[in-house]
Amino acid sequence: MENVFRFLARSRVFFLFLVIEVIALFMIVRSSYYQSTKIMNSVRYLQAMCEEQVNSWEQYFSLKNMNADLAEENNRLRKILSYYQSVDTTKSFTEKLPLYPDYEYTLATVIDNSVNRQHNYITLNVGKNHQIEPDMGVMVDNGVVGIITSVTGRYALVKSFLNTDWKVSARLLRSGAFGPLHWDGKIYTEALLSEIPQHIDVQVGDTVVTSGYSSIFPPDIPIGIVKSFQVKRGNFYEIKVALLTDYKRLRYVTVARFTQRDEINQLDSKTHE
Amino acid sequence: MNNSFFRYLLWLLFFVLLQSLVFSQLPLGTYVYPMVYVLFILMLPIGYSRMAVLLWAFLTGLCIDIFTHSILGAHTSATVAMAYARPFILKLVTSKEDRENNVQLITKRNLGSRFFLTYISLAILLHHTIYFLIDTFSFFDFIHTVLLIVCSALLSILFVFFLSSLMPTSWNSASN
């Protein structure tokens, strides 16, 4: 018995090491990102305030690009507007209603962002006070940005699309085939669209859009362009998609809230009973 | 003990801020993610209690995990493993007299550039390997992971090497 104690005493450093490692591993296993982000809310709040300050300084340096983007967007919107003005909506009313009335949008500014990790996160300057809730989609007009994972009063944490454990339901615009689009953690301008069966006609240059099936993002938001494709593992294509969004330059984003989510969820839970 | 404890706590704070506000924000692309906070553990005096080093490593890793939005425990386990391996690596690069002279922070100056470089390279390589294996959590695309480890480690070693030359030699002059 004494020997055992002596042994323990002699290798107490090793045991401490083991204990700490086990705690750390336990934390890794326990902390699905969702839970850990929830726990860290209060820390994030302080951090976000810091980042907002830093960001406000950084913004001065990118004003030029931002102006260009805004001008471009203005231009696009003006085109759409002119279309509506030219069409007599009292006559062709039913055809041209707002496209997705099921979604409400909130504008937000990115105050912290990263693209250089395997699990990237984004902080937005909107939160509970702006009716932002977890699981809402975040997008720009040429791509998906991510999904809200947790909110505080004034800030929201977004799991970026550039996060290797998240997938977006996407669709090939021309052929209509859909499958999960995910980032493989390599280059932040490319993502992979998988589970497209081989009989589908895929061509380089095809547009990839959101499918709208997940009720997180409205359908038909352009995400990327097919860059190359190959058959991988069985009958499916693995399609390399060049993303339209420059994640490094994200500034203004839109948070989409699906207004009928509760109803859809209810339906889902009924079928799974 | 108390005196050095609070000094180290300040150092810890300094490195956590440096990592989360500067080095984690560097726009360097997907393959390079420098982690310089390991210098805090690496520069603790040679004769410093090994238990204490482990506890500091745990605290450092935890803070970094929290402040850089990473998986809770990823930095922690990598840093703790590195801290545990620290004495073994030190044995390779120091003489017996060095190890007895224990009040000094380990820096480039008092270890010699070559030995210091070997020391931080081995430690950082170990740390980064563990970190990225946990972060990617798969052996699926192993070349990708290896690239991540090697590229990031090279940059971290470079940064840590230069950062270390800015550090004071002994903790008596450590707080300003």
Side-chain angles (χ1 to χ4, degrees), chain A residues 12-14 16-17 20-21 23-25 27-29 31 33 36 39-40 43-44 47 50-51 54 112-119 121 123 157 164 183-188 232-233 248, chain B residues 20-21 23-33 50-51 54-55 58 62 65-74 76-78 80-81 84 131-132 134-137 140-141 144 148:
Chain A
R12 62 184 193 281
V13 176
F14 178 70
L16 181 67
F17 165 67
I20 296 181
E21 277 297 349
I23 294 173
L25 292 176
M27 287 195 305
I28 294 168
V29 176
S31 70
Y33 301 105
S36 75
I39 297 164
M40 296 312 159
V43 178
R44 295 275 144 76
Q47 204 183 348
C50 260
E51 282 158 354
V54 174
D112 183 43
N113 185 13
S114 70
V115 298
N116 56 359
R117 282 177 254 165
Q118 300 295 295
H119 309 280
Y121 282 88
T123 316
L157 188 72
T164 50
W183 186 57
D184 56 357
K186 289 178 185 164
I187 311 171
Y188 71 93
K232 230 184 192 174
R233 272 165 286 144
K248 227 174 194 169
Chain B
S20 60
L21 293 179
F23 284 94
S24 290
Q25 311 278 348
L26 291 181
L28 293 169
T30 325
Y31 280 101
V32 273
Y33 180 42
R50 289 167 67 186
M51 306 276 269
L54 283 179
L55 292 173
F58 179 70
L62 201 62
D65 275 332
I66 292 168
F67 279 97
T68 62
H69 307 288
S70 65
I71 310 169
L72 202 62
T76 313
S77 54
V80 169
Y84 183 70
Y131 172 77
F132 282 113
I134 291 170
D135 193 38
T136 54
F137 220 76
F140 169 61
D141 200 348
H144 168 55
L148 272 172

Side-chain angles (χ1 to χ4, degrees), chain B residues 27-93:
Chain B
L28 293 169
T30 325
Y31 280 101
V32 273
Y33 180 42
M35 290 175 264
V36 299
Y37 68 89
V38 293
L39 178 57
F40 171 61
I41 300 302
L42 293 180
M43 74 182 198
L44 292 172
I46 299 180
Y48 198 49
S49 150
R50 289 167 67 186
M51 306 276 269
V53 173
L54 283 179
L55 292 173
W56 277 116
F58 179 70
L59 200 60
T60 313
L62 201 62
C63 290
I64 298 287
D65 275 332
I66 292 168
F67 279 97
T68 62
H69 307 288
S70 65
I71 310 169
L72 202 62
H75 286 288
T76 313
S77 54
T79 314
V80 169
M82 187 192 71
Y84 183 70
R86 198 184 90 119
F88 302 107
I89 302 172
L90 275 173
K91 226 171 234 177
L92 297 176
V93 295

Side-chain angles (χ1 to χ4, degrees), chain B:
Chain B
M1 153 70 200
N2 272 332
N3 209 356
S4 64
F5 176 78
F6 286 110
R7 275 180 222 283
Y8 291 155
L9 208 57
L10 279 179
W11 274 118
L12 174 69
L13 191 72
F14 167 74
F15 275 106
V16 168
L17 290 178
L18 188 73
Q19 179 67 40
S20 60
L21 293 179
V22 182
F23 284 94
S24 290
Q25 311 278 348
L26 291 181
L28 293 169
T30 325
Y31 280 101
V32 273
Y33 180 42
M35 290 175 264
V36 299
Y37 68 89
V38 293
L39 178 57
F40 171 61
I41 300 302
L42 293 180
M43 74 182 198
L44 292 172
I46 299 180
Y48 198 49
S49 150
R50 289 167 67 186
M51 306 276 269
V53 173
L54 283 179
L55 292 173
W56 277 116
F58 179 70
L59 200 60
T60 313
L62 201 62
C63 290
I64 298 287
D65 275 332
I66 292 168
F67 279 97
T68 62
H69 307 288
S70 65
I71 310 169
L72 202 62
H75 286 288
T76 313
S77 54
T79 314
V80 169
M82 187 192 71
Y84 183 70
R86 198 184 90 119
F88 302 107
I89 302 172
L90 275 173
K91 226 171 234 177
L92 297 176
V93 295
T94 53
S95 62
K96 203 156 187 189
E97 301 94 77
D98 277 342
R99 266 171 268 150
E100 275 153 15
N101 169 22
N102 60 17
V103 286
Q104 301 238 302
L105 290 172
I106 301 173
T107 62
K108 196 161 75 180
R109 254 166 288 155
N110 59 22
L111 211 60
S113 285
R114 227 184 69 215
F115 286 131
F116 184 71
L117 192 63
T118 318
Y119 166 55
I120 59 168
S121 301
L122 288 174
I124 287 176
L125 211 56
L126 176 76
H127 173 274
H128 282 39
T129 306
I130 295 170
Y131 172 77
F132 282 113
L133 282 181
I134 291 170
D135 193 38
T136 54
F137 220 76
S138 77
F139 290 95
F140 169 61
D141 200 348
F142 199 62
I143 297 173
H144 168 55
T145 314
V146 170
L147 263 177
L148 272 172
I149 294 167
V150 173
C151 297
S152 303
L154 281 178
L155 201 69
S156 296
I157 291 167
L158 199 76
F159 279 135
V160 166
F161 191 69
F162 284 110
L163 210 58
S164 146
S165 43
L166 308 175
M167 295 296 154
T169 316
S170 87
W171 55 258
N172 288 321
S173 57
S175 79
N176 29 43

Side-chain angles (χ1 to χ4, degrees), chain A residues 62-97:
Chain A
S62 51
L63 278 178
K64 205 173 159 190
N65 287 332
M66 230 145 62
N67 272 339
D69 287 350
L70 288 176
E72 204 174 289
E73 195 173 351
N74 266 342
N75 203 13
R76 204 178 51 81
L77 293 175
R78 212 171 287 135
K79 260 186 216 157
I80 298 173
L81 182 66
S82 72
Y83 174 78
Y84 283 113
Q85 284 170 339
S86 67
V87 175
D88 187 351
T89 44
T90 51
K91 280 178 191 160
S92 53
F93 184 67
T94 46
E95 283 174 37
K96 291 298 170 191
L97 270 176

